[in-house]
Amino acid sequence: MTDGYLIGIDWDNDGDYTGTGENVTDDVLQRGAVTFQYGRDASRALSPPRVGAIGFTLCNADRLYSPENPASPIATDVSPAARILVEETINGTLYPLMTGRIDTFQVNTRRGDRSAQITGFDGLSLLRGKKITTEVYAAQRTGTLIGIILDAVGWTEARDLDVGATHVPWWWANGTDAFDLLTQLLRSEGPPSIAYIAPDGTFTYRDRHHRLLRSESLTSQATFRSEPTTLACCDDGGYGEGGYGECEYGG
């Protein structure tokens, strides 16, 4: 694999990003560089999860991304909800950065601004506004109940759920928003539990003990350090004897 970024849009919804107009990396404008975020709404352990968001702007000088242009080979495929992928390859290793679906697609036709602005959300947005109803469950852990929520909203992608450290005596949903139910279970579990969509699209739930048990929290993942420069470590021998050393200290 060639090192570098890939920004892809699965226009034909076939599960890959190799079709016509699907690798949009070279069309991303610098003034509309790719931005994305996910995690929590605020940097507090009790803050609710954040629906991951992504946005970027494409050059559309050739009207490839204009759905009203019959000459565009993807004209009939340009639509909201198409899958978005952002990934990077470093030294031959692939690192997914964000997956989601298009939320808004705006084509600018002003003279001198032939562009297409795209925003999207990750899979956590599927829980927003989705009302679900379930049977009554007794003495279930939070991880099990979150799995029930995902089943109720029709989640078909990968999931990675901790079992959960909290037992909920009684739990059910009766026409309740799925995202609100998820937030309530996270509060029941307590900090630093969290739910999010991983960069590869996996729904991920971590219970309040994950920082005590998982190797990612127990083992150093990387080391960052600054290398000293020549001037920072030059020989200052002779100082105090009338000399100023190689760095002309005091001179």
Side-chain angles (χ1 to χ4, degrees):
M1 292 182 291
T2 304
D3 283 7
Y5 287 96
L6 167 69
I7 297 92
I9 302 177
D10 186 13
W11 295 119
D12 56 13
N13 196 33
D14 64 354
D16 64 42
Y17 298 85
T18 60
T20 302
E22 294 190 338
N23 185 342
V24 302
T25 310
D26 293 338
D27 286 340
V28 176
L29 295 176
Q30 185 174 8
R31 66 178 173 85
V34 179
T35 60
F36 55 88
Q37 55 187 355
Y38 54 89
R40 298 186 191 275
D41 272 342
S43 57
R44 294 176 299 177
L46 286 175
S47 297
R50 176 200 297 271
V51 174
I54 186 170
F56 52 91
T57 302
L58 300 178
C59 175
N60 193 36
D62 57 1
R63 299 181 63 204
L64 173 66
Y65 306 109
S66 298
E68 78 285 355
N69 177 22
S72 171
I74 62 172
T76 57
D77 296 324
V78 175
S79 63
R83 293 177 180 269
I84 303 174
L85 171 71
V86 182
E87 60 186 21
E88 182 181 11
T89 301
I90 303 176
N91 295 328
T93 301
L94 181 66
Y95 298 93
L97 299 178
M98 177 74 176
T99 58
R101 288 184 178 273
I102 291 178
D103 177 54
T104 63
F105 184 94
Q106 178 180 342
V107 176
N108 296 317
T109 58
R110 296 188 300 273
R111 183 180 182 87
D113 184 15
R114 298 292 180 88
S115 63
Q117 293 177 301
I118 295 175
T119 64
F121 294 119
D122 68 12
L124 204 58
S125 63
L126 296 177
L127 278 67
R128 286 279 195 189
K130 184 75 171 182
K131 307 291 185 179
I132 63 172
T133 299
T134 70
E135 61 183 275
V136 177
Y137 294 89
Q140 297 294 324
R141 292 193 179 190
T142 51
T144 300
L145 296 176
I146 288 176
I148 292 171
I149 292 175
L150 294 181
D151 291 340
V153 300
W155 181 268
T156 59
E157 304 295 332
R159 61 181 74 178
D160 180 5
L161 309 178
D162 282 354
V163 174
T166 296
H167 285 83
V168 181
W170 300 97
W171 185 92
W172 68 92
N174 184 15
T176 311
D177 185 273
F179 190 86
D180 291 342
L181 290 169
L182 172 66
T183 301
Q184 292 169 11
L185 287 173
L186 292 174
R187 289 174 179 169
S188 297
E189 179 68 20
S193 64
I194 188 172
Y196 60 92
I197 305 301
D200 64 356
T202 301
F203 187 103
T204 306
Y205 165 61
R206 296 290 174 254
D207 63 25
R208 67 173 183 265
H209 289 160
H210 75 275
R211 292 181 183 173
L212 301 175
L213 301 175
R214 289 189 169 269
S215 61
E216 294 91 335
S217 299
L218 300 176
T219 305
S220 175
Q221 301 297 299
T223 301
F224 298 90
R225 65 169 182 257
S226 59
E227 294 292 340
T229 64
T230 302
L231 291 178
C233 296
C234 61
D235 182 12
D236 60 356
Y239 175 71
E241 298 178 359
Y244 292 93
E246 294 180 5
C247 289
E248 299 180 357
Y249 180 78

